Every structure is written in C-alpha cells, then in structure tokens.
C-alpha cells in the first residue's frame, strides 16, 4: 500500500543502533565526575601538544641560542623558571607533551593490538596453538617489564621508535590474558554454535562475533595503558635511553639530574615535567576508570 511507511535499510538500522549505543555510553560516562575531570585534563594536554608549534619557537629550545639566563627562578618572563641552558621550562613542558603523548598513544596501540590478537587467537584455538600462545604470554608476564624494556632500548638504536617498540612489546601480556578470558566467555554463548552450524569459519567467528564483544574491554584497557606507557617512556628517557635530539618530559628530568638540580636546590627544574607526567597519568587513569564503569553491564540495570 502507498500509505505504508518504508522500512529502514539494515545499514540505517545499524547506524541508529550505534548512535543509541554511543549516546547511552556518554550518558553513563557523565555520571562519573572524576571521569569528566580526567577527560577535561586529557583534552587540555592534547590541545597543548597540538598547539605546541604555534606557542613555542624552535629557537627557544636551542641549547646554544637560549633566550634567558641559566637557572632563573619563576618570573613573568619565564613563569616556570629556566634550565641550565637558559631555556624556559614552560616551553620545554609544552613541547615535551608532543613526544610523551605520541609515544604513549603509539606504544599503547602496539601493546593493545598485539594483546588483542594473541588473546582472541588463544581463546578461539584451544588446542596446542592456544596453549603455546598462553605459555609465551606467561613467560612475558613474569619477566620484569622495566628490565626487558631497558634491554630492548639498549640493543636497538636510541630513537622515539625504539621507545615505542620497547614499551609495546613488554606491555601486551595483561591485555592478552583479559581478552582471552572474554573470548572464552563469548564463545560459550549459543549463537556461536549456530554460526558454526551454518558454516561460519574461524575468521568469520573471530572477526564478526568475538571481536565486537571484546572491544569494550579493549577500550577500557587502552585508556589505562596509555598512562602506564607515558610513565614508562619518561622512565626510559630519564635513564638516558631516549632520543637525545628530542624534548620530552622524561628527557627534561634526565637533564635536570645531570645538571645537579637536586643537590643545587633548583626545584623549578624538576617540578614542571614531573607534575606534567603525574597529571596526564592521573587524567588517563580517571578516564579509564570511568570508561570501565560506563561499560559495566551492571551500570545499565534499572536505567
């Protein structure tokens, strides 16, 4: 009949379900005030990193053409003081946010991607292949993460890519364990058996059924791992294993240690990069906890 409204297409229904899911997630996330505070801090740091080339001139970061005198305490001309070369600590913190956040995001991407791949594969193939993958995961899990990262960063060339690889390779076992447990729970559901009965292969089941169901867990794990990755990058840079040609928060702390800022009482050399590391790690942690709470099925009961 001409008066019957047209039924929406499957693609339109899928888009509508995604919009409803996103709006429901944001509604639950907004109930976590700490999560909103962490999100505001995270947005501030990201905007600061993106605007760094507009706020800091490359010449202000030069150790030979620094615009100020060395070891100057905070003043209107340099609100956070200057380092041993006469560079403004505010400029170093702003520019260092680019490297620290980039390494944090990329290392987390490597870690979560590898952990998700291993976890889904080990949970789906429960025979010899799954057992071997989990024994390898257990081996990485018991190794001291910092020692392994230091060893990799020492063997490879000193660069930002090396730091990303070192952190990503050492931080994936926890994600693999969590994803494997979730994969086992998903594959125990009846619709997986129906999919197999209808001819669904291994790739189809893992990509179309398992992966969408483990993505919420992966998202929550990602927000928590970024904070750990940023702290790990700062630690490696502080140990002198970062790229000496780049400015990062950990590298600034390493320069302060070498310059004897602790024994000289130059507190403003240590406080700004240390506070930046603590604040961005706290922001990601608050966001991660809020995401975890918003994705918890128990938070939807009675709503």
């Amino acid at each position: 009949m001409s008066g019957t409204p047209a039924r929406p297409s499957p693609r339109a229904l899928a888009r509508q379900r995604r919009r409803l899911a996103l709006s429901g997630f944001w509604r639950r996330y907004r109930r976590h005030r700490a999560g909103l505070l962490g999100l505001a801090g995270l947005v501030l740091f990201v905007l600061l990193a993106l605007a760094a080339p507009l706020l800091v001139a490359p010449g202000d970061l030069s150790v030979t053409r620094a615009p100020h005198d060395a070891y100057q305490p905070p003043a209107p001309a340099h609100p956070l003081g200057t380092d041993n070369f006469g560079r403004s600590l505010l400029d170093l913190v702003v520019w260092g946010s680019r490297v620290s956040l980039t390494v944090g995001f990329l290392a987390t991407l490597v870690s979560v991607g590898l952990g998700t791949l291993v976890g889904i594969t080990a949970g789906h193939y429960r025979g010899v292949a799954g057992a071997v993958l989990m024994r390898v995961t257990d081996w990485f899990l018991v190794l001291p993460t910092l020692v392994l990262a230091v060893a990799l960063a020492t063997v490879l060339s000193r660069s930002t890519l090396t730091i990303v690889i070192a952190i990503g390779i050492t931080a994936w076992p926890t994600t693999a364990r969590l994803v494997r447990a979730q994969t086992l729970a998903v594959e125990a559901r009846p619709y997986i058996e129906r999919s197999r009965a209808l001819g669904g292969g291994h790739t189809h089941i893992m990509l179309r059924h398992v992966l969408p169901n483990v993505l919420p867990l992966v998202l929550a794990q990602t927000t928590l791992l970024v904070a750990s990755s940023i702290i790990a990058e700062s630690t490696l840079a502080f140990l002198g294993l970062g790229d000496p040609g780049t400015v990062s928060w950990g590298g600034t702390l390493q320069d302060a240690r070498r310059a004897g800022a602790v024994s000289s009482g130059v507190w403003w050399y240590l406080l700004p990069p240390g506070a930046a590391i603590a604040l961005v790690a706290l922001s990601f942690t608050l966001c991660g906890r809020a995401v975890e709470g918003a994705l918890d099925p128990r938070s939807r009961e009675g709503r």
Side-chain angles (χ1 to χ4, degrees), residues 96 130 157 182 188 196 231 245-246 278 287:
S157 61
Q182 185 70 9
R196 288 196 179 100
I231 294 175
T246 60
C287 287

Side-chain angles (χ1 to χ4, degrees), residues 222-277:
T222 299
T223 55
L224 295 174
L225 275 178
V226 173
S228 302
S229 299
I230 291 175
I231 294 175
E233 183 276 331
S234 302
T235 302
L236 294 176
F238 178 75
L239 295 175
L241 300 175
D243 187 355
T246 60
V247 176
S248 69
W249 293 334
T252 303
L253 288 175
Q254 167 68 356
D255 293 339
R257 185 191 65 83
R258 288 177 177 174
V262 177
S263 58
S264 302
V266 187
W267 57 268
W268 59 86
Y269 202 167
L270 298 166
L271 184 59
I277 295 171

Side-chain angles (χ1 to χ4, degrees), residues 11-69:
R11 184 171 298 180
L13 288 174
R15 286 197 299 266
Q16 183 180 5
R17 285 196 297 266
R18 283 195 292 268
R19 285 195 299 268
L20 290 175
L22 288 175
S23 63
F25 167 78
W26 175 242
R27 186 171 59 252
R28 294 187 297 273
Y29 185 94
R30 285 185 302 177
R31 298 193 183 103
H32 300 268
R33 295 184 179 181
L36 291 176
L37 182 62
L39 181 61
L42 178 58
V43 170
L44 178 62
F45 276 107
V46 171
L47 291 178
L48 193 67
L50 293 175
L54 303 176
L55 301 175
V56 181
D60 295 341
L61 303 175
S62 174
V63 297
T64 58
R65 295 181 288 112
H68 308 288
D69 295 330

Side-chain angles (χ1 to χ4, degrees), residues 96-110:
S97 63
R98 295 171 59 85
V99 175
S100 296
L101 290 177
T102 300
V103 171
F105 282 120
L106 292 180
T108 301
L109 182 63
V110 173

Side-chain angles (χ1 to χ4, degrees), residues 146-266:
L146 181 59
V147 174
L148 183 58
V150 168
L152 289 173
T154 303
V155 173
L156 302 175
S157 61
R158 294 174 61 183
S159 65
T160 302
L161 180 60
T162 297
I163 299 295
V164 171
I165 295 174
I167 297 174
I169 288 180
T170 56
W172 63 269
T174 303
T175 303
R177 274 284 182 184
L178 293 173
V179 171
R180 177 181 178 272
Q182 185 70 9
T183 300
L184 293 175
V186 170
E187 295 209 354
R189 296 172 183 172
Y191 69 86
I192 298 294
E193 292 295 331
R194 290 196 294 268
S195 179
R196 288 196 179 100
L198 293 173
H202 296 294
T203 304
H204 173 82
I205 292 174
M206 288 190 291
L207 294 182
R208 297 296 299 272
H209 299 298
V210 177
L211 182 60
N213 283 280
V214 303
L215 279 181
L217 175 64
V218 171
L219 176 60
Q221 182 69 5
T222 299
T223 55
L224 295 174
L225 275 178
V226 173
S228 302
S229 299
I230 291 175
I231 294 175
E233 183 276 331
S234 302
T235 302
L236 294 176
F238 178 75
L239 295 175
L241 300 175
D243 187 355
T246 60
V247 176
S248 69
W249 293 334
T252 303
L253 288 175
Q254 167 68 356
D255 293 339
R257 185 191 65 83
R258 288 177 177 174
V262 177
S263 58
S264 302
V266 187

